[in-house]
Amino acid sequence: SLDLPNGLTSIGDFAFAGCHGFPTVSIPSTVTNIGVNAFMDCKSLTAFEVDESNPNYASLNGALFNKQQDMLLQYPGGLAGVYSIPDTVKTIRVRAFCGCDELTSINIPSSVTTIGHMAFGECKALRSIRIPGSVNSIENGAFLGCEKLKRMYFGGNAPAVEMPTFPDVSGFKIIRAPESTGFDVPPWTDYDVEIFSRRMMPID
């Protein structure tokens, strides 16, 4: 494991990005700043462990959050399968899940309003995702490189998006709720948009 020393106060941008070989990262109470993408693409990492007395950060089920747990900062790159984001989260930070190759499904709660730049970029096993109606902003590159992502389900009106955002995948579809609005203008009209029907997974 990577046990950061007590007395350390700051972890810089990309400080450990792409590093392999440690399954856990222990963050002491003295760390008050963790830079963007500090632990991105760490393929062996399965858990963050934050000292409970840390004033700025917290860990829950292995993932790294701010203290209030309303921003998901980093998901461990070595975890696989399905992950449900806690319903305290409002913002999914820049590259929070970027490079999580074995992640197959994400459950996003209706508390989330913002999906950051490249938040799910290069999640190569992700096959479908539901975007709740609470999301009003998706930053550029959020789903780029998701080579198996065939469908995105939108449970509300079209959010503001910065392009490019969606994967360049053959057969990619956007499924929207019947009562939703805003999908009849660019950039949505550049994609195959279908209205939800009973044969599809629930989007409410």
Side-chain angles (χ1 to χ4, degrees), residues 2-60:
L2 177 63
D3 296 319
L4 299 176
N6 195 41
L8 181 70
T9 59
S10 183
I11 302 170
D13 295 351
F14 297 96
F16 296 96
C19 292
H20 308 305
F22 49 84
T24 61
V25 173
S26 296
I27 299 173
S29 62
T30 53
V31 171
T32 56
N33 177 69
I34 299 176
V36 176
N37 312 319
F39 297 96
M40 181 187 76
D41 205 28
C42 294
K43 303 298 186 186
S44 302
L45 181 61
T46 57
F48 291 95
E49 298 173 352
V50 180
D51 190 297
E52 290 184 0
S53 61
N54 188 295
N56 289 2
Y57 300 101
S59 55
L60 179 66

Side-chain angles (χ1 to χ4, degrees), residues 70-88:
D70 59 7
M71 178 180 289
L72 197 161
L73 304 178
Q74 194 78 61
Y75 188 74
L79 289 182
V82 179
Y83 177 65
S84 295
I85 296 173
D87 60 10
T88 57

